[in-house]
mmCIF file of all heavy atoms in Angstrom:
data_model
loop_
_atom_site.group_PDB
_atom_site.id
_atom_site.type_symbol
_atom_site.label_atom_id
_atom_site.label_comp_id
_atom_site.label_asym_id
_atom_site.label_seq_id
_atom_site.Cartn_x
_atom_site.Cartn_y
_atom_site.Cartn_z
ATOM 1 N N GLN C 1380 0.793 -16.202 6.193
ATOM 2 C CA GLN C 1380 1.713 -15.312 5.535
ATOM 3 C C GLN C 1380 2.125 -14.129 6.431
ATOM 4 O O GLN C 1380 2.579 -12.932 6.014
ATOM 5 C CB GLN C 1380 1.191 -14.714 4.160
ATOM 6 C CG GLN C 1380 -0.077 -13.808 4.220
ATOM 7 C CD GLN C 1380 -0.388 -13.197 2.977
ATOM 8 O OE1 GLN C 1380 0.045 -13.678 1.866
ATOM 9 N NE2 GLN C 1380 -1.093 -11.997 2.995
ATOM 10 N N ALA C 1381 1.996 -14.315 7.705
ATOM 11 C CA ALA C 1381 2.419 -13.283 8.737
ATOM 12 C C ALA C 1381 3.872 -12.963 8.519
ATOM 13 O O ALA C 1381 4.777 -13.919 8.374
ATOM 14 C CB ALA C 1381 2.044 -13.760 10.085
ATOM 15 N N GLY C 1382 4.230 -11.774 8.664
ATOM 16 C CA GLY C 1382 5.730 -11.351 8.767
ATOM 17 C C GLY C 1382 5.920 -9.922 8.324
ATOM 18 O O GLY C 1382 4.987 -9.273 7.922
ATOM 19 N N LEU C 1383 7.188 -9.488 8.545
ATOM 20 C CA LEU C 1383 7.608 -8.101 8.080
ATOM 21 C C LEU C 1383 8.883 -8.187 7.244
ATOM 22 O O LEU C 1383 9.775 -8.847 7.543
ATOM 23 C CB LEU C 1383 7.929 -7.299 9.465
ATOM 24 C CG LEU C 1383 8.490 -6.014 9.217
ATOM 25 C CD1 LEU C 1383 7.580 -4.989 8.605
ATOM 26 C CD2 LEU C 1383 9.009 -5.296 10.581
ATOM 27 N N HIS C 1384 8.713 -7.403 6.107
ATOM 28 C CA HIS C 1384 9.882 -7.269 5.179
ATOM 29 C C HIS C 1384 10.226 -5.813 5.350
ATOM 30 O O HIS C 1384 9.438 -4.844 4.909
ATOM 31 C CB HIS C 1384 9.464 -7.616 3.732
ATOM 32 C CG HIS C 1384 8.921 -9.065 3.617
ATOM 33 N ND1 HIS C 1384 9.711 -10.140 3.567
ATOM 34 C CD2 HIS C 1384 7.586 -9.448 3.567
ATOM 35 C CE1 HIS C 1384 8.978 -11.188 3.574
ATOM 36 N NE2 HIS C 1384 7.640 -10.822 3.480
ATOM 37 N N LEU C 1385 11.441 -5.624 5.904
ATOM 38 C CA LEU C 1385 11.883 -4.371 6.101
ATOM 39 C C LEU C 1385 12.198 -3.594 4.864
ATOM 40 O O LEU C 1385 12.751 -4.192 3.907
ATOM 41 C CB LEU C 1385 13.142 -4.344 7.011
ATOM 42 C CG LEU C 1385 12.893 -5.000 8.410
ATOM 43 C CD1 LEU C 1385 14.338 -4.996 9.157
ATOM 44 C CD2 LEU C 1385 11.986 -4.161 9.319
ATOM 45 N N TRP C 1386 11.881 -2.167 4.810
ATOM 46 C CA TRP C 1386 12.152 -1.505 3.623
ATOM 47 C C TRP C 1386 13.620 -1.610 3.092
ATOM 48 O O TRP C 1386 13.816 -1.727 1.961
ATOM 49 C CB TRP C 1386 11.732 0.021 3.769
ATOM 50 C CG TRP C 1386 10.336 0.145 3.669
ATOM 51 C CD1 TRP C 1386 9.550 0.648 4.798
ATOM 52 C CD2 TRP C 1386 9.265 0.062 2.691
ATOM 53 N NE1 TRP C 1386 8.227 0.583 4.425
ATOM 54 C CE2 TRP C 1386 7.979 0.285 3.167
ATOM 55 C CE3 TRP C 1386 9.530 -0.552 1.465
ATOM 56 C CZ2 TRP C 1386 7.014 0.186 2.387
ATOM 57 C CZ3 TRP C 1386 8.541 -0.589 0.520
ATOM 58 C CH2 TRP C 1386 7.202 -0.187 1.038
ATOM 59 N N GLU C 1387 14.558 -1.541 4.104
ATOM 60 C CA GLU C 1387 16.047 -1.638 3.563
ATOM 61 C C GLU C 1387 16.368 -2.906 2.975
ATOM 62 O O GLU C 1387 17.217 -3.017 2.110
ATOM 63 C CB GLU C 1387 16.834 -1.425 4.717
ATOM 64 C CG GLU C 1387 16.803 -2.371 5.892
ATOM 65 C CD GLU C 1387 16.423 -1.927 7.258
ATOM 66 O OE1 GLU C 1387 15.760 -0.835 7.266
ATOM 67 O OE2 GLU C 1387 16.789 -2.465 8.126
ATOM 68 N N ASP C 1388 15.582 -3.948 3.074
ATOM 69 C CA ASP C 1388 15.677 -5.268 2.407
ATOM 70 C C ASP C 1388 14.839 -5.328 1.062
ATOM 71 O O ASP C 1388 15.146 -6.159 0.303
ATOM 72 C CB ASP C 1388 15.325 -6.435 3.319
ATOM 73 C CG ASP C 1388 16.263 -6.568 4.589
ATOM 74 O OD1 ASP C 1388 17.430 -6.015 4.442
ATOM 75 O OD2 ASP C 1388 15.848 -7.006 5.448
ATOM 76 N N VAL C 1389 13.842 -4.478 0.980
ATOM 77 C CA VAL C 1389 12.853 -4.662 -0.168
ATOM 78 C C VAL C 1389 13.493 -3.961 -1.427
ATOM 79 O O VAL C 1389 13.883 -2.895 -1.450
ATOM 80 C CB VAL C 1389 11.435 -4.000 0.108
ATOM 81 C CG1 VAL C 1389 10.687 -3.966 -1.159
ATOM 82 C CG2 VAL C 1389 10.914 -4.675 1.309
ATOM 83 N N ARG C 1390 13.700 -4.835 -2.562
ATOM 84 C CA ARG C 1390 14.086 -4.327 -3.843
ATOM 85 C C ARG C 1390 13.140 -3.961 -4.787
ATOM 86 O O ARG C 1390 13.295 -3.060 -5.683
ATOM 87 C CB ARG C 1390 15.116 -5.331 -4.369
ATOM 88 C CG ARG C 1390 16.244 -5.614 -3.384
ATOM 89 C CD ARG C 1390 17.157 -4.481 -3.310
ATOM 90 N NE ARG C 1390 18.239 -4.560 -2.324
ATOM 91 C CZ ARG C 1390 18.394 -3.997 -1.203
ATOM 92 N NH1 ARG C 1390 17.404 -2.997 -0.964
ATOM 93 N NH2 ARG C 1390 19.372 -4.179 -0.391
ATOM 94 N N ALA C 1391 11.959 -4.589 -4.783
ATOM 95 C CA ALA C 1391 10.924 -4.405 -5.692
ATOM 96 C C ALA C 1391 9.567 -4.831 -5.033
ATOM 97 O O ALA C 1391 9.492 -5.737 -4.358
ATOM 98 C CB ALA C 1391 11.157 -5.095 -6.986
ATOM 99 N N LEU C 1392 8.516 -4.102 -5.642
ATOM 100 C CA LEU C 1392 7.021 -4.463 -5.345
ATOM 101 C C LEU C 1392 6.369 -4.512 -6.550
ATOM 102 O O LEU C 1392 6.345 -3.640 -7.386
ATOM 103 C CB LEU C 1392 6.393 -3.477 -4.219
ATOM 104 C CG LEU C 1392 7.060 -3.323 -2.865
ATOM 105 C CD1 LEU C 1392 6.423 -2.126 -2.185
ATOM 106 C CD2 LEU C 1392 6.804 -4.602 -1.983
ATOM 107 N N THR C 1393 5.684 -5.715 -6.814
ATOM 108 C CA THR C 1393 4.874 -5.860 -8.046
ATOM 109 C C THR C 1393 3.443 -6.433 -7.627
ATOM 110 O O THR C 1393 3.269 -6.865 -6.571
ATOM 111 C CB THR C 1393 5.571 -6.882 -9.029
ATOM 112 O OG1 THR C 1393 5.784 -8.140 -8.267
ATOM 113 C CG2 THR C 1393 6.921 -6.430 -9.319
ATOM 114 N N LEU C 1394 2.579 -6.212 -8.605
ATOM 115 C CA LEU C 1394 1.255 -6.762 -8.496
ATOM 116 C C LEU C 1394 0.901 -7.780 -9.603
ATOM 117 O O LEU C 1394 1.287 -7.406 -10.784
ATOM 118 C CB LEU C 1394 0.372 -5.541 -8.654
ATOM 119 C CG LEU C 1394 0.244 -4.649 -7.392
ATOM 120 C CD1 LEU C 1394 -0.588 -3.501 -7.519
ATOM 121 C CD2 LEU C 1394 -0.215 -5.459 -6.129
ATOM 122 N N ALA C 1395 0.305 -8.768 -9.318
ATOM 123 C CA ALA C 1395 -0.152 -9.696 -10.319
ATOM 124 C C ALA C 1395 -1.739 -10.126 -10.113
ATOM 125 O O ALA C 1395 -2.102 -9.891 -8.768
ATOM 126 C CB ALA C 1395 0.607 -10.977 -10.348
ATOM 127 N N ASP C 1396 -2.269 -10.590 -11.041
ATOM 128 C CA ASP C 1396 -3.727 -11.054 -10.843
ATOM 129 C C ASP C 1396 -4.727 -9.937 -10.414
ATOM 130 O O ASP C 1396 -5.701 -10.113 -9.727
ATOM 131 C CB ASP C 1396 -3.919 -12.156 -9.683
ATOM 132 C CG ASP C 1396 -2.852 -13.353 -9.943
ATOM 133 O OD1 ASP C 1396 -2.842 -13.662 -11.076
ATOM 134 O OD2 ASP C 1396 -2.311 -13.777 -8.891
ATOM 135 N N VAL C 1397 -4.335 -8.546 -10.759
ATOM 136 C CA VAL C 1397 -5.194 -7.561 -10.518
ATOM 137 C C VAL C 1397 -6.569 -7.512 -11.338
ATOM 138 O O VAL C 1397 -6.360 -7.585 -12.489
ATOM 139 C CB VAL C 1397 -4.465 -6.240 -10.733
ATOM 140 C CG1 VAL C 1397 -5.318 -5.057 -10.451
ATOM 141 C CG2 VAL C 1397 -3.257 -6.222 -9.794
ATOM 142 N N PRO C 1398 -7.586 -7.519 -10.683
ATOM 143 C CA PRO C 1398 -8.833 -7.467 -11.410
ATOM 144 C C PRO C 1398 -9.025 -6.122 -12.090
ATOM 145 O O PRO C 1398 -9.151 -5.135 -11.249
ATOM 146 C CB PRO C 1398 -9.872 -7.838 -10.556
ATOM 147 C CG PRO C 1398 -9.455 -7.518 -9.234
ATOM 148 C CD PRO C 1398 -7.943 -7.729 -9.350
ATOM 149 N N VAL C 1399 -9.117 -6.036 -13.423
ATOM 150 C CA VAL C 1399 -9.208 -4.796 -14.083
ATOM 151 C C VAL C 1399 -10.547 -4.569 -14.433
ATOM 152 O O VAL C 1399 -11.173 -5.574 -15.044
ATOM 153 C CB VAL C 1399 -8.199 -4.548 -15.183
ATOM 154 C CG1 VAL C 1399 -8.491 -3.138 -15.997
ATOM 155 C CG2 VAL C 1399 -6.800 -4.646 -14.692
ATOM 156 N N LYS C 1400 -11.208 -3.365 -14.232
ATOM 157 C CA LYS C 1400 -12.572 -3.204 -14.533
ATOM 158 C C LYS C 1400 -12.820 -3.338 -16.102
ATOM 159 O O LYS C 1400 -12.009 -2.706 -16.827
ATOM 160 C CB LYS C 1400 -13.003 -1.848 -14.053
ATOM 161 C CG LYS C 1400 -14.538 -1.604 -14.213
ATOM 162 C CD LYS C 1400 -14.897 -0.246 -13.729
ATOM 163 C CE LYS C 1400 -15.485 -0.280 -12.349
ATOM 164 N NZ LYS C 1400 -15.993 0.988 -11.894
ATOM 165 N N SER C 1401 -13.863 -4.059 -16.427
ATOM 166 C CA SER C 1401 -14.234 -4.174 -17.854
ATOM 167 C C SER C 1401 -15.779 -4.322 -18.018
ATOM 168 O O SER C 1401 -16.382 -4.630 -16.997
ATOM 169 C CB SER C 1401 -13.462 -5.320 -18.528
ATOM 170 O OG SER C 1401 -13.922 -6.480 -18.010
ATOM 171 N N LEU C 1402 -16.285 -4.031 -19.118
ATOM 172 C CA LEU C 1402 -17.690 -4.192 -19.393
ATOM 173 C C LEU C 1402 -18.046 -5.702 -19.008
ATOM 174 O O LEU C 1402 -19.078 -5.993 -18.388
ATOM 175 C CB LEU C 1402 -18.029 -3.898 -20.777
ATOM 176 C CG LEU C 1402 -19.465 -4.036 -21.136
ATOM 177 C CD1 LEU C 1402 -20.419 -3.260 -20.061
ATOM 178 C CD2 LEU C 1402 -19.737 -3.707 -22.538
ATOM 179 N N ARG C 1403 -17.360 -6.716 -19.523
ATOM 180 C CA ARG C 1403 -17.586 -8.066 -19.093
ATOM 181 C C ARG C 1403 -17.641 -8.354 -17.669
ATOM 182 O O ARG C 1403 -18.492 -9.061 -17.202
ATOM 183 C CB ARG C 1403 -16.525 -8.938 -19.842
ATOM 184 C CG ARG C 1403 -16.802 -10.591 -19.609
ATOM 185 C CD ARG C 1403 -15.727 -11.204 -20.490
ATOM 186 N NE ARG C 1403 -16.115 -12.714 -20.272
ATOM 187 C CZ ARG C 1403 -15.269 -13.603 -20.875
ATOM 188 N NH1 ARG C 1403 -14.258 -13.398 -21.484
ATOM 189 N NH2 ARG C 1403 -15.637 -14.782 -20.713
ATOM 190 N N ARG C 1404 -16.686 -7.925 -16.977
ATOM 191 C CA ARG C 1404 -16.553 -8.034 -15.459
ATOM 192 C C ARG C 1404 -17.774 -7.318 -14.794
ATOM 193 O O ARG C 1404 -18.494 -7.869 -13.936
ATOM 194 C CB ARG C 1404 -15.287 -7.434 -14.915
ATOM 195 C CG ARG C 1404 -15.214 -7.697 -13.443
ATOM 196 C CD ARG C 1404 -13.947 -7.185 -12.897
ATOM 197 N NE ARG C 1404 -12.818 -7.851 -13.275
ATOM 198 C CZ ARG C 1404 -12.404 -9.073 -12.681
ATOM 199 N NH1 ARG C 1404 -12.958 -9.510 -11.651
ATOM 200 N NH2 ARG C 1404 -11.285 -9.746 -13.126
ATOM 201 N N GLN C 1405 -18.137 -6.156 -15.355
ATOM 202 C CA GLN C 1405 -19.376 -5.566 -14.636
ATOM 203 C C GLN C 1405 -20.749 -6.264 -15.009
ATOM 204 O O GLN C 1405 -21.498 -6.326 -14.178
ATOM 205 C CB GLN C 1405 -19.506 -4.059 -15.294
ATOM 206 C CG GLN C 1405 -18.417 -3.068 -14.817
ATOM 207 C CD GLN C 1405 -18.457 -1.719 -15.381
ATOM 208 O OE1 GLN C 1405 -18.360 -1.614 -16.638
ATOM 209 N NE2 GLN C 1405 -18.655 -0.655 -14.567
ATOM 210 N N VAL C 1406 -20.772 -6.766 -16.255
ATOM 211 C CA VAL C 1406 -22.061 -7.601 -16.529
ATOM 212 C C VAL C 1406 -22.115 -8.812 -15.666
ATOM 213 O O VAL C 1406 -23.145 -9.265 -15.188
ATOM 214 C CB VAL C 1406 -22.057 -7.920 -18.093
ATOM 215 C CG1 VAL C 1406 -23.011 -8.881 -18.421
ATOM 216 C CG2 VAL C 1406 -22.268 -6.647 -18.945
ATOM 217 N N GLY C 1407 -20.912 -9.377 -15.502
ATOM 218 C CA GLY C 1407 -20.796 -10.559 -14.650
ATOM 219 C C GLY C 1407 -21.283 -10.301 -13.254
ATOM 220 O O GLY C 1407 -21.903 -11.175 -12.665
ATOM 221 N N ALA C 1408 -20.784 -9.284 -12.781
ATOM 222 C CA ALA C 1408 -21.207 -8.847 -11.426
ATOM 223 C C ALA C 1408 -22.724 -8.651 -11.171
ATOM 224 O O ALA C 1408 -23.204 -9.002 -10.225
ATOM 225 C CB ALA C 1408 -20.484 -7.587 -11.038
ATOM 226 N N VAL C 1409 -23.299 -7.926 -12.138
ATOM 227 C CA VAL C 1409 -24.742 -7.761 -12.166
ATOM 228 C C VAL C 1409 -25.421 -9.074 -12.337
ATOM 229 O O VAL C 1409 -26.510 -9.397 -11.443
ATOM 230 C CB VAL C 1409 -25.176 -6.727 -13.257
ATOM 231 C CG1 VAL C 1409 -26.723 -6.777 -13.506
ATOM 232 C CG2 VAL C 1409 -24.697 -5.380 -13.048
ATOM 233 N N LYS C 1410 -24.959 -9.993 -13.162
ATOM 234 C CA LYS C 1410 -25.679 -11.262 -13.330
ATOM 235 C C LYS C 1410 -25.564 -12.098 -12.070
ATOM 236 O O LYS C 1410 -26.562 -12.734 -11.542
ATOM 237 C CB LYS C 1410 -24.895 -12.055 -14.352
ATOM 238 C CG LYS C 1410 -25.491 -13.563 -14.678
ATOM 239 C CD LYS C 1410 -24.587 -14.256 -15.493
ATOM 240 C CE LYS C 1410 -23.335 -14.495 -14.886
ATOM 241 N NZ LYS C 1410 -22.644 -15.664 -14.816
ATOM 242 N N ASP C 1411 -24.341 -12.069 -11.463
ATOM 243 C CA ASP C 1411 -24.077 -12.788 -10.137
ATOM 244 C C ASP C 1411 -24.962 -12.219 -9.117
ATOM 245 O O ASP C 1411 -25.554 -13.093 -8.232
ATOM 246 C CB ASP C 1411 -22.645 -12.711 -9.659
ATOM 247 C CG ASP C 1411 -21.848 -13.646 -10.528
ATOM 248 O OD1 ASP C 1411 -22.228 -14.328 -11.378
ATOM 249 O OD2 ASP C 1411 -20.554 -13.403 -10.513
ATOM 250 N N LEU C 1412 -25.194 -10.981 -8.969
ATOM 251 C CA LEU C 1412 -26.015 -10.303 -7.999
ATOM 252 C C LEU C 1412 -27.427 -10.731 -8.096
ATOM 253 O O LEU C 1412 -28.145 -11.261 -7.243
ATOM 254 C CB LEU C 1412 -25.912 -8.778 -7.964
ATOM 255 C CG LEU C 1412 -26.790 -8.079 -7.118
ATOM 256 C CD1 LEU C 1412 -26.421 -8.398 -5.615
ATOM 257 C CD2 LEU C 1412 -26.705 -6.612 -7.284
ATOM 258 N N ALA C 1413 -27.948 -10.765 -9.474
ATOM 259 C CA ALA C 1413 -29.334 -11.123 -9.700
ATOM 260 C C ALA C 1413 -29.542 -12.567 -9.445
ATOM 261 O O ALA C 1413 -30.567 -12.994 -8.756
ATOM 262 C CB ALA C 1413 -29.641 -10.758 -11.189
ATOM 263 N N LEU C 1414 -28.691 -13.437 -9.871
ATOM 264 C CA LEU C 1414 -28.783 -14.842 -9.510
ATOM 265 C C LEU C 1414 -28.705 -15.058 -7.938
ATOM 266 O O LEU C 1414 -29.544 -15.919 -7.463
ATOM 267 C CB LEU C 1414 -27.666 -15.628 -10.269
ATOM 268 C CG LEU C 1414 -27.659 -17.109 -10.160
ATOM 269 C CD1 LEU C 1414 -29.111 -17.720 -10.704
ATOM 270 C CD2 LEU C 1414 -26.464 -17.710 -10.828
ATOM 271 N N GLY C 1415 -27.865 -14.421 -7.350
ATOM 272 C CA GLY C 1415 -27.836 -14.558 -5.876
ATOM 273 C C GLY C 1415 -29.122 -14.231 -5.183
ATOM 274 O O GLY C 1415 -29.537 -14.928 -4.274
ATOM 275 N N MET C 1416 -29.720 -13.187 -5.700
ATOM 276 C CA MET C 1416 -31.011 -12.691 -5.099
ATOM 277 C C MET C 1416 -32.160 -13.814 -5.348
ATOM 278 O O MET C 1416 -32.838 -14.126 -4.330
ATOM 279 C CB MET C 1416 -31.486 -11.390 -5.683
ATOM 280 C CG MET C 1416 -30.702 -10.151 -5.170
ATOM 281 S SD MET C 1416 -31.018 -8.664 -5.943
ATOM 282 C CE MET C 1416 -32.637 -8.387 -5.202
#
Side-chain angles (χ1 to χ4, degrees):
Q1380 69 174 22
L1383 170 67
H1384 302 284
L1385 299 173
W1386 284 115
E1387 62 241 26
D1388 297 334
V1389 174
R1390 298 296 173 244
L1392 293 171
T1393 58
L1394 290 171
D1396 310 319
V1397 175
V1399 177
K1400 186 181 261 187
S1401 66
L1402 180 59
R1403 183 177 184 182
R1404 184 178 286 279
Q1405 289 174 304
V1406 169
V1409 170
K1410 178 193 66 129
D1411 290 346
L1412 178 63
L1414 183 59
M1416 288 178 66

